[in-house]
Amino acid sequence: RKEVEQDPGPFNVPEGATVAFNCTYSNSASQSFFWYRQDCRKEPKLLMSVYSSGNEDGRFTAQLNRASQYISLLIRDSKLSDSATYLCVVNGRDNNDMRFGAGTRLTVKP
Amino acid sequence: DAMVIQNPRYQVTQFGKPVTLSCSQTLNHNVMYWYQQKSSQAPKLLFHYYDKDFNNEADTPDNFQSRRPNTSFCFLDIRSPGLGDAAMYLCATSRRSSSTDTQYFGPGTRLTVL
């Protein structure tokens, strides 16, 4: 079983749609959780952190469920510019334990 | 304004010919990381430096080496590239090795092995 698993997609949605991604992790001792965004052939960039019960930043909401060991990302009112791959990242005790999921690809269409 | 710089952005090498990838940072961060990312796969951590302390991932092949001559620079040396080493190589930095610290990535070097 992979340490961090994501649905690879692709998710193809129209502008304005709401879309949700899930991510599961295997290490119950994991303490920090992040969503990164990666555009095609570019580097990953931090989208948002998820520290406790969840996090909201504008159109983006991240939730953490420790009991079931998954986190989710909800994007409301999708924009064309949201098209990217979304990487779920789970840390252990130290940053060097950072484990990436393979990413979920999102395409927002006009 | 670039904070993590990688050179070159694209590197072509021949099978077995040593290659060095470069990373520099203007953030004065303590920690520097090297990741390998193949197409449609997750970035895979190769190793990292906390200041001068080198930390190798257990499954990183011996073919990959790294040097950090000072705070700002870190190099990835691939001694004998194979076809399977073709990938995007990402350098990242963080202020300290803490699970709450954000990692900042460079734009990557795409390596092609002929």
PDB file of all heavy atoms in Angstrom, chain A residues 67-103:
ATOM      1  N   ALA A  67      -9.329   9.925  12.196  1.00  0.00           N
ATOM      2  CA  ALA A  67      -9.799   8.569  12.501  1.00  0.00           C
ATOM      3  C   ALA A  67      -9.761   7.689  11.253  1.00  0.00           C
ATOM      4  O   ALA A  67      -9.376   6.518  11.303  1.00  0.00           O
ATOM      5  CB  ALA A  67     -11.209   8.630  13.072  1.00  0.00           C
ATOM      6  N   SER A  68     -10.147   8.260  10.129  1.00  0.00           N
ATOM      7  CA  SER A  68     -10.167   7.503   8.877  1.00  0.00           C
ATOM      8  C   SER A  68      -8.918   7.723   8.051  1.00  0.00           C
ATOM      9  O   SER A  68      -8.776   7.133   6.971  1.00  0.00           O
ATOM     10  CB  SER A  68     -11.406   7.877   8.056  1.00  0.00           C
ATOM     11  OG  SER A  68     -12.580   7.609   8.787  1.00  0.00           O
ATOM     12  N   GLN A  69      -8.040   8.593   8.529  1.00  0.00           N
ATOM     13  CA  GLN A  69      -6.764   8.864   7.873  1.00  0.00           C
ATOM     14  C   GLN A  69      -6.946   9.330   6.433  1.00  0.00           C
ATOM     15  O   GLN A  69      -6.405   8.751   5.481  1.00  0.00           O
ATOM     16  CB  GLN A  69      -5.835   7.635   7.946  1.00  0.00           C
ATOM     17  CG  GLN A  69      -5.413   7.334   9.370  1.00  0.00           C
ATOM     18  CD  GLN A  69      -4.466   6.160   9.508  1.00  0.00           C
ATOM     19  OE1 GLN A  69      -4.476   5.462  10.524  1.00  0.00           O
ATOM     20  NE2 GLN A  69      -3.645   5.923   8.516  1.00  0.00           N
ATOM     21  N   TYR A  70      -7.740  10.378   6.291  1.00  0.00           N
ATOM     22  CA  TYR A  70      -7.825  10.992   4.973  1.00  0.00           C
ATOM     23  C   TYR A  70      -7.992  12.494   5.115  1.00  0.00           C
ATOM     24  O   TYR A  70      -8.450  13.001   6.139  1.00  0.00           O
ATOM     25  CB  TYR A  70      -8.945  10.386   4.129  1.00  0.00           C
ATOM     26  CG  TYR A  70     -10.347  10.875   4.406  1.00  0.00           C
ATOM     27  CD1 TYR A  70     -10.827  12.045   3.816  1.00  0.00           C
ATOM     28  CD2 TYR A  70     -11.201  10.144   5.220  1.00  0.00           C
ATOM     29  CE1 TYR A  70     -12.107  12.484   4.054  1.00  0.00           C
ATOM     30  CE2 TYR A  70     -12.495  10.574   5.455  1.00  0.00           C
ATOM     31  CZ  TYR A  70     -12.947  11.740   4.867  1.00  0.00           C
ATOM     32  OH  TYR A  70     -14.220  12.164   5.100  1.00  0.00           O
ATOM     33  N   ILE A  71      -7.576  13.176   4.063  1.00  0.00           N
ATOM     34  CA  ILE A  71      -7.839  14.598   3.952  1.00  0.00           C
ATOM     35  C   ILE A  71      -8.528  14.852   2.619  1.00  0.00           C
ATOM     36  O   ILE A  71      -8.433  14.028   1.696  1.00  0.00           O
ATOM     37  CB  ILE A  71      -6.563  15.466   4.080  1.00  0.00           C
ATOM     38  CG1 ILE A  71      -5.608  15.231   2.922  1.00  0.00           C
ATOM     39  CG2 ILE A  71      -5.859  15.206   5.402  1.00  0.00           C
ATOM     40  CD1 ILE A  71      -4.420  16.175   2.942  1.00  0.00           C
ATOM     41  N   SER A  72      -9.222  15.952   2.565  1.00  0.00           N
ATOM     42  CA  SER A  72      -9.939  16.282   1.344  1.00  0.00           C
ATOM     43  C   SER A  72      -9.695  17.738   0.981  1.00  0.00           C
ATOM     44  O   SER A  72      -9.311  18.552   1.825  1.00  0.00           O
ATOM     45  CB  SER A  72     -11.436  16.019   1.515  1.00  0.00           C
ATOM     46  OG  SER A  72     -11.968  16.856   2.536  1.00  0.00           O
ATOM     47  N   LEU A  73      -9.904  18.029  -0.282  1.00  0.00           N
ATOM     48  CA  LEU A  73      -9.819  19.399  -0.775  1.00  0.00           C
ATOM     49  C   LEU A  73     -11.074  19.672  -1.584  1.00  0.00           C
ATOM     50  O   LEU A  73     -11.392  18.926  -2.514  1.00  0.00           O
ATOM     51  CB  LEU A  73      -8.583  19.591  -1.657  1.00  0.00           C
ATOM     52  CG  LEU A  73      -8.423  20.970  -2.280  1.00  0.00           C
ATOM     53  CD1 LEU A  73      -8.158  22.024  -1.212  1.00  0.00           C
ATOM     54  CD2 LEU A  73      -7.293  20.969  -3.318  1.00  0.00           C
ATOM     55  N   LEU A  74     -11.768  20.735  -1.225  1.00  0.00           N
ATOM     56  CA  LEU A  74     -12.975  21.145  -1.924  1.00  0.00           C
ATOM     57  C   LEU A  74     -12.711  22.469  -2.612  1.00  0.00           C
ATOM     58  O   LEU A  74     -12.227  23.416  -1.986  1.00  0.00           O
ATOM     59  CB  LEU A  74     -14.134  21.292  -0.928  1.00  0.00           C
ATOM     60  CG  LEU A  74     -15.487  21.681  -1.513  1.00  0.00           C
ATOM     61  CD1 LEU A  74     -16.118  20.480  -2.193  1.00  0.00           C
ATOM     62  CD2 LEU A  74     -16.411  22.224  -0.428  1.00  0.00           C
ATOM     63  N   ILE A  75     -13.010  22.527  -3.889  1.00  0.00           N
ATOM     64  CA  ILE A  75     -12.866  23.772  -4.641  1.00  0.00           C
ATOM     65  C   ILE A  75     -14.254  24.196  -5.105  1.00  0.00           C
ATOM     66  O   ILE A  75     -14.925  23.454  -5.833  1.00  0.00           O
ATOM     67  CB  ILE A  75     -11.933  23.595  -5.862  1.00  0.00           C
ATOM     68  CG1 ILE A  75     -10.583  23.047  -5.433  1.00  0.00           C
ATOM     69  CG2 ILE A  75     -11.759  24.941  -6.582  1.00  0.00           C
ATOM     70  CD1 ILE A  75      -9.648  22.732  -6.618  1.00  0.00           C
ATOM     71  N   ARG A  76     -14.651  25.365  -4.674  1.00  0.00           N
ATOM     72  CA  ARG A  76     -15.958  25.893  -5.084  1.00  0.00           C
ATOM     73  C   ARG A  76     -15.770  26.884  -6.223  1.00  0.00           C
ATOM     74  O   ARG A  76     -14.719  27.525  -6.369  1.00  0.00           O
ATOM     75  CB  ARG A  76     -16.636  26.596  -3.914  1.00  0.00           C
ATOM     76  CG  ARG A  76     -17.069  25.669  -2.794  1.00  0.00           C
ATOM     77  CD  ARG A  76     -17.787  26.469  -1.688  1.00  0.00           C
ATOM     78  NE  ARG A  76     -16.886  27.434  -1.077  1.00  0.00           N
ATOM     79  CZ  ARG A  76     -16.042  27.138  -0.101  1.00  0.00           C
ATOM     80  NH1 ARG A  76     -15.969  25.924   0.381  1.00  0.00           N
ATOM     81  NH2 ARG A  76     -15.255  28.082   0.404  1.00  0.00           N
ATOM     82  N   ASP A  77     -16.819  27.026  -7.035  1.00  0.00           N
ATOM     83  CA  ASP A  77     -16.809  28.023  -8.116  1.00  0.00           C
ATOM     84  C   ASP A  77     -15.521  27.919  -8.938  1.00  0.00           C
ATOM     85  O   ASP A  77     -14.750  28.884  -9.051  1.00  0.00           O
ATOM     86  CB  ASP A  77     -16.955  29.430  -7.522  1.00  0.00           C
ATOM     87  CG  ASP A  77     -17.175  30.498  -8.575  1.00  0.00           C
ATOM     88  OD1 ASP A  77     -17.626  30.145  -9.685  1.00  0.00           O
ATOM     89  OD2 ASP A  77     -16.866  31.672  -8.310  1.00  0.00           O
ATOM     90  N   SER A  78     -15.273  26.781  -9.499  1.00  0.00           N
ATOM     91  CA  SER A  78     -14.018  26.508 -10.219  1.00  0.00           C
ATOM     92  C   SER A  78     -13.748  27.541 -11.299  1.00  0.00           C
ATOM     93  O   SER A  78     -14.653  27.961 -12.030  1.00  0.00           O
ATOM     94  CB  SER A  78     -14.085  25.116 -10.860  1.00  0.00           C
ATOM     95  OG  SER A  78     -14.262  24.119  -9.897  1.00  0.00           O
ATOM     96  N   LYS A  79     -12.471  27.920 -11.402  1.00  0.00           N
ATOM     97  CA  LYS A  79     -12.014  28.836 -12.446  1.00  0.00           C
ATOM     98  C   LYS A  79     -11.135  28.070 -13.428  1.00  0.00           C
ATOM     99  O   LYS A  79     -10.530  27.048 -13.084  1.00  0.00           O
ATOM    100  CB  LYS A  79     -11.190  29.983 -11.831  1.00  0.00           C
ATOM    101  CG  LYS A  79     -11.821  30.667 -10.643  1.00  0.00           C
ATOM    102  CD  LYS A  79     -13.034  31.465 -11.036  1.00  0.00           C
ATOM    103  CE  LYS A  79     -13.576  32.242  -9.844  1.00  0.00           C
ATOM    104  NZ  LYS A  79     -14.898  32.846 -10.157  1.00  0.00           N
ATOM    105  N   LEU A  80     -11.004  28.622 -14.626  1.00  0.00           N
ATOM    106  CA  LEU A  80     -10.121  28.002 -15.614  1.00  0.00           C
ATOM    107  C   LEU A  80      -8.702  27.878 -15.045  1.00  0.00           C
ATOM    108  O   LEU A  80      -7.999  26.897 -15.283  1.00  0.00           O
ATOM    109  CB  LEU A  80     -10.093  28.814 -16.907  1.00  0.00           C
ATOM    110  CG  LEU A  80     -11.401  28.913 -17.678  1.00  0.00           C
ATOM    111  CD1 LEU A  80     -11.228  29.821 -18.894  1.00  0.00           C
ATOM    112  CD2 LEU A  80     -11.886  27.538 -18.119  1.00  0.00           C
ATOM    113  N   SER A  81      -8.318  28.880 -14.267  1.00  0.00           N
ATOM    114  CA  SER A  81      -6.964  28.911 -13.717  1.00  0.00           C
ATOM    115  C   SER A  81      -6.734  27.869 -12.616  1.00  0.00           C
ATOM    116  O   SER A  81      -5.603  27.694 -12.166  1.00  0.00           O
ATOM    117  CB  SER A  81      -6.658  30.301 -13.156  1.00  0.00           C
ATOM    118  OG  SER A  81      -7.612  30.649 -12.168  1.00  0.00           O
ATOM    119  N   ASP A  82      -7.801  27.192 -12.202  1.00  0.00           N
ATOM    120  CA  ASP A  82      -7.623  26.130 -11.203  1.00  0.00           C
ATOM    121  C   ASP A  82      -7.112  24.837 -11.841  1.00  0.00           C
ATOM    122  O   ASP A  82      -6.747  23.889 -11.132  1.00  0.00           O
ATOM    123  CB  ASP A  82      -8.950  25.834 -10.491  1.00  0.00           C
ATOM    124  CG  ASP A  82      -9.433  26.985  -9.637  1.00  0.00           C
ATOM    125  OD1 ASP A  82      -8.590  27.782  -9.173  1.00  0.00           O
ATOM    126  OD2 ASP A  82     -10.664  27.096  -9.443  1.00  0.00           O
ATOM    127  N   SER A  83      -7.087  24.781 -13.161  1.00  0.00           N
ATOM    128  CA  SER A  83      -6.604  23.584 -13.851  1.00  0.00           C
ATOM    129  C   SER A  83      -5.155  23.334 -13.488  1.00  0.00           C
ATOM    130  O   SER A  83      -4.282  24.182 -13.702  1.00  0.00           O
ATOM    131  CB  SER A  83      -6.738  23.748 -15.373  1.00  0.00           C
ATOM    132  OG  SER A  83      -8.086  23.905 -15.737  1.00  0.00           O
ATOM    133  N   ALA A  84      -4.909  22.164 -12.905  1.00  0.00           N
ATOM    134  CA  ALA A  84      -3.567  21.829 -12.415  1.00  0.00           C
ATOM    135  C   ALA A  84      -3.639  20.429 -11.822  1.00  0.00           C
ATOM    136  O   ALA A  84      -4.702  19.798 -11.789  1.00  0.00           O
ATOM    137  CB  ALA A  84      -3.095  22.815 -11.341  1.00  0.00           C
ATOM    138  N   THR A  85      -2.508  19.962 -11.329  1.00  0.00           N
ATOM    139  CA  THR A  85      -2.477  18.726 -10.551  1.00  0.00           C
ATOM    140  C   THR A  85      -2.360  19.091  -9.084  1.00  0.00           C
ATOM    141  O   THR A  85      -1.531  19.929  -8.711  1.00  0.00           O
ATOM    142  CB  THR A  85      -1.301  17.832 -10.980  1.00  0.00           C
ATOM    143  OG1 THR A  85      -1.490  17.433 -12.337  1.00  0.00           O
ATOM    144  CG2 THR A  85      -1.210  16.586 -10.099  1.00  0.00           C
ATOM    145  N   TYR A  86      -3.176  18.474  -8.267  1.00  0.00           N
ATOM    146  CA  TYR A  86      -3.196  18.781  -6.836  1.00  0.00           C
ATOM    147  C   TYR A  86      -2.562  17.628  -6.071  1.00  0.00           C
ATOM    148  O   TYR A  86      -3.014  16.483  -6.152  1.00  0.00           O
ATOM    149  CB  TYR A  86      -4.631  19.054  -6.383  1.00  0.00           C
ATOM    150  CG  TYR A  86      -5.141  20.349  -6.963  1.00  0.00           C
ATOM    151  CD1 TYR A  86      -5.671  20.389  -8.255  1.00  0.00           C
ATOM    152  CD2 TYR A  86      -5.032  21.546  -6.259  1.00  0.00           C
ATOM    153  CE1 TYR A  86      -6.091  21.591  -8.817  1.00  0.00           C
ATOM    154  CE2 TYR A  86      -5.457  22.747  -6.801  1.00  0.00           C
ATOM    155  CZ  TYR A  86      -5.976  22.762  -8.085  1.00  0.00           C
ATOM    156  OH  TYR A  86      -6.385  23.952  -8.637  1.00  0.00           O
ATOM    157  N   LEU A  87      -1.506  17.955  -5.367  1.00  0.00           N
ATOM    158  CA  LEU A  87      -0.716  16.960  -4.652  1.00  0.00           C
ATOM    159  C   LEU A  87      -1.029  16.990  -3.166  1.00  0.00           C
ATOM    160  O   LEU A  87      -0.982  18.041  -2.533  1.00  0.00           O
ATOM    161  CB  LEU A  87       0.789  17.235  -4.839  1.00  0.00           C
ATOM    162  CG  LEU A  87       1.329  17.230  -6.266  1.00  0.00           C
ATOM    163  CD1 LEU A  87       2.725  17.822  -6.315  1.00  0.00           C
ATOM    164  CD2 LEU A  87       1.356  15.822  -6.815  1.00  0.00           C
ATOM    165  N   CYS A  88      -1.332  15.855  -2.643  1.00  0.00           N
ATOM    166  CA  CYS A  88      -1.545  15.690  -1.207  1.00  0.00           C
ATOM    167  C   CYS A  88      -0.197  15.364  -0.579  1.00  0.00           C
ATOM    168  O   CYS A  88       0.540  14.510  -1.086  1.00  0.00           O
ATOM    169  CB  CYS A  88      -2.538  14.554  -1.001  1.00  0.00           C
ATOM    170  SG  CYS A  88      -2.763  14.026   0.698  1.00  0.00           S
ATOM    171  N   VAL A  89       0.155  16.040   0.501  1.00  0.00           N
ATOM    172  CA  VAL A  89       1.449  15.841   1.139  1.00  0.00           C
ATOM    173  C   VAL A  89       1.239  15.607   2.620  1.00  0.00           C
ATOM    174  O   VAL A  89       0.513  16.356   3.278  1.00  0.00           O
ATOM    175  CB  VAL A  89       2.368  17.059   0.922  1.00  0.00           C
ATOM    176  CG1 VAL A  89       3.746  16.797   1.519  1.00  0.00           C
ATOM    177  CG2 VAL A  89       2.479  17.383  -0.550  1.00  0.00           C
ATOM    178  N   VAL A  90       1.899  14.586   3.123  1.00  0.00           N
ATOM    179  CA  VAL A  90       1.743  14.211   4.529  1.00  0.00           C
ATOM    180  C   VAL A  90       3.116  14.145   5.167  1.00  0.00           C
ATOM    181  O   VAL A  90       4.034  13.509   4.634  1.00  0.00           O
ATOM    182  CB  VAL A  90       1.042  12.845   4.644  1.00  0.00           C
ATOM    183  CG1 VAL A  90       0.954  12.402   6.099  1.00  0.00           C
ATOM    184  CG2 VAL A  90      -0.347  12.915   4.025  1.00  0.00           C
ATOM    185  N   ASN A  91       3.261  14.822   6.298  1.00  0.00           N
ATOM    186  CA  ASN A  91       4.539  14.795   7.005  1.00  0.00           C
ATOM    187  C   ASN A  91       4.485  13.870   8.210  1.00  0.00           C
ATOM    188  O   ASN A  91       3.439  13.671   8.806  1.00  0.00           O
ATOM    189  CB  ASN A  91       4.873  16.195   7.524  1.00  0.00           C
ATOM    190  CG  ASN A  91       5.504  17.048   6.464  1.00  0.00           C
ATOM    191  OD1 ASN A  91       5.495  16.713   5.301  1.00  0.00           O
ATOM    192  ND2 ASN A  91       6.052  18.163   6.886  1.00  0.00           N
ATOM    193  N   GLY A  92       5.652  13.375   8.547  1.00  0.00           N
ATOM    194  CA  GLY A  92       5.788  12.686   9.809  1.00  0.00           C
ATOM    195  C   GLY A  92       6.234  13.665  10.861  1.00  0.00           C
ATOM    196  O   GLY A  92       5.842  14.828  10.846  1.00  0.00           O
ATOM    197  N   ARG A  93       7.076  13.233  11.730  1.00  0.00           N
ATOM    198  CA  ARG A  93       7.508  14.078  12.844  1.00  0.00           C
ATOM    199  C   ARG A  93       8.345  15.245  12.345  1.00  0.00           C
ATOM    200  O   ARG A  93       8.270  16.342  12.864  1.00  0.00           O
ATOM    201  CB  ARG A  93       8.280  13.219  13.843  1.00  0.00           C
ATOM    202  CG  ARG A  93       8.700  13.948  15.102  1.00  0.00           C
ATOM    203  CD  ARG A  93       9.289  12.945  16.097  1.00  0.00           C
ATOM    204  NE  ARG A  93      10.392  12.186  15.503  1.00  0.00           N
ATOM    205  CZ  ARG A  93      11.646  12.611  15.499  1.00  0.00           C
ATOM    206  NH1 ARG A  93      11.947  13.786  16.020  1.00  0.00           N
ATOM    207  NH2 ARG A  93      12.605  11.870  14.965  1.00  0.00           N
ATOM    208  N   ASP A  94       9.182  15.004  11.351  1.00  0.00           N
ATOM    209  CA  ASP A  94      10.044  16.042  10.807  1.00  0.00           C
ATOM    210  C   ASP A  94       9.731  16.259   9.347  1.00  0.00           C
ATOM    211  O   ASP A  94       9.104  15.417   8.706  1.00  0.00           O
ATOM    212  CB  ASP A  94      11.521  15.654  10.953  1.00  0.00           C
ATOM    213  CG  ASP A  94      11.927  15.583  12.398  1.00  0.00           C
ATOM    214  OD1 ASP A  94      11.665  16.549  13.125  1.00  0.00           O
ATOM    215  OD2 ASP A  94      12.490  14.548  12.795  1.00  0.00           O
ATOM    216  N   ASN A  95      10.189  17.382   8.835  1.00  0.00           N
ATOM    217  CA  ASN A  95       9.896  17.704   7.439  1.00  0.00           C
ATOM    218  C   ASN A  95      10.517  16.712   6.477  1.00  0.00           C
ATOM    219  O   ASN A  95      10.054  16.559   5.362  1.00  0.00           O
ATOM    220  CB  ASN A  95      10.393  19.110   7.124  1.00  0.00           C
ATOM    221  CG  ASN A  95       9.338  19.918   6.406  1.00  0.00           C
ATOM    222  OD1 ASN A  95       8.179  19.532   6.341  1.00  0.00           O
ATOM    223  ND2 ASN A  95       9.738  21.038   5.854  1.00  0.00           N
ATOM    224  N   ASN A  96      11.595  16.043   6.888  1.00  0.00           N
ATOM    225  CA  ASN A  96      12.204  15.092   5.974  1.00  0.00           C
ATOM    226  C   ASN A  96      11.335  13.866   5.759  1.00  0.00           C
ATOM    227  O   ASN A  96      11.639  13.040   4.915  1.00  0.00           O
ATOM    228  CB  ASN A  96      13.593  14.683   6.456  1.00  0.00           C
ATOM    229  CG  ASN A  96      13.569  14.150   7.872  1.00  0.00           C
ATOM    230  OD1 ASN A  96      13.175  14.864   8.791  1.00  0.00           O
ATOM    231  ND2 ASN A  96      13.989  12.942   8.060  1.00  0.00           N
ATOM    232  N   ASP A  97      10.268  13.731   6.526  1.00  0.00           N
ATOM    233  CA  ASP A  97       9.338  12.626   6.302  1.00  0.00           C
ATOM    234  C   ASP A  97       8.240  13.006   5.331  1.00  0.00           C
ATOM    235  O   ASP A  97       7.234  12.325   5.233  1.00  0.00           O
ATOM    236  CB  ASP A  97       8.686  12.204   7.621  1.00  0.00           C
ATOM    237  CG  ASP A  97       9.658  11.441   8.491  1.00  0.00           C
ATOM    238  OD1 ASP A  97      10.631  10.910   7.947  1.00  0.00           O
ATOM    239  OD2 ASP A  97       9.429  11.395   9.704  1.00  0.00           O
ATOM    240  N   MET A  98       8.396  14.102   4.633  1.00  0.00           N
ATOM    241  CA  MET A  98       7.370  14.589   3.709  1.00  0.00           C
ATOM    242  C   MET A  98       7.123  13.569   2.613  1.00  0.00           C
ATOM    243  O   MET A  98       8.036  13.173   1.896  1.00  0.00           O
ATOM    244  CB  MET A  98       7.848  15.899   3.097  1.00  0.00           C
ATOM    245  CG  MET A  98       6.770  16.763   2.530  1.00  0.00           C
ATOM    246  SD  MET A  98       7.475  18.335   2.002  1.00  0.00           S
ATOM    247  CE  MET A  98       6.061  19.378   2.044  1.00  0.00           C
ATOM    248  N   ARG A  99       5.873  13.125   2.504  1.00  0.00           N
ATOM    249  CA  ARG A  99       5.506  12.121   1.504  1.00  0.00           C
ATOM    250  C   ARG A  99       4.423  12.694   0.607  1.00  0.00           C
ATOM    251  O   ARG A  99       3.400  13.189   1.080  1.00  0.00           O
ATOM    252  CB  ARG A  99       5.004  10.840   2.172  1.00  0.00           C
ATOM    253  CG  ARG A  99       6.003  10.206   3.124  1.00  0.00           C
ATOM    254  CD  ARG A  99       7.269   9.773   2.433  1.00  0.00           C
ATOM    255  NE  ARG A  99       8.277   9.279   3.368  1.00  0.00           N
ATOM    256  CZ  ARG A  99       9.530   9.040   3.058  1.00  0.00           C
ATOM    257  NH1 ARG A  99       9.969   9.257   1.818  1.00  0.00           N
ATOM    258  NH2 ARG A  99      10.374   8.579   3.977  1.00  0.00           N
ATOM    259  N   PHE A 100       4.664  12.589  -0.684  1.00  0.00           N
ATOM    260  CA  PHE A 100       3.739  13.142  -1.671  1.00  0.00           C
ATOM    261  C   PHE A 100       2.851  12.048  -2.239  1.00  0.00           C
ATOM    262  O   PHE A 100       3.300  10.917  -2.484  1.00  0.00           O
ATOM    263  CB  PHE A 100       4.522  13.742  -2.835  1.00  0.00           C
ATOM    264  CG  PHE A 100       5.152  15.075  -2.554  1.00  0.00           C
ATOM    265  CD1 PHE A 100       6.327  15.171  -1.821  1.00  0.00           C
ATOM    266  CD2 PHE A 100       4.587  16.233  -3.039  1.00  0.00           C
ATOM    267  CE1 PHE A 100       6.909  16.397  -1.573  1.00  0.00           C
ATOM    268  CE2 PHE A 100       5.172  17.471  -2.808  1.00  0.00           C
ATOM    269  CZ  PHE A 100       6.333  17.545  -2.073  1.00  0.00           C
ATOM    270  N   GLY A 101       1.609  12.401  -2.482  1.00  0.00           N
ATOM    271  CA  GLY A 101       0.785  11.577  -3.335  1.00  0.00           C
ATOM    272  C   GLY A 101       1.136  11.847  -4.784  1.00  0.00           C
ATOM    273  O   GLY A 101       1.834  12.823  -5.106  1.00  0.00           O
ATOM    274  N   ALA A 102       0.652  10.999  -5.666  1.00  0.00           N
ATOM    275  CA  ALA A 102       0.959  11.149  -7.089  1.00  0.00           C
ATOM    276  C   ALA A 102       0.171  12.268  -7.743  1.00  0.00           C
ATOM    277  O   ALA A 102       0.474  12.653  -8.871  1.00  0.00           O
ATOM    278  CB  ALA A 102       0.730   9.835  -7.823  1.00  0.00           C
ATOM    279  N   GLY A 103      -0.833  12.782  -7.037  1.00  0.00           N
ATOM    280  CA  GLY A 103      -1.553  13.931  -7.554  1.00  0.00           C
ATOM    281  C   GLY A 103      -2.863  13.578  -8.225  1.00  0.00           C
ATOM    282  O   GLY A 103      -3.041  12.476  -8.746  1.00  0.00           O
TER     283      GLY A 103
END
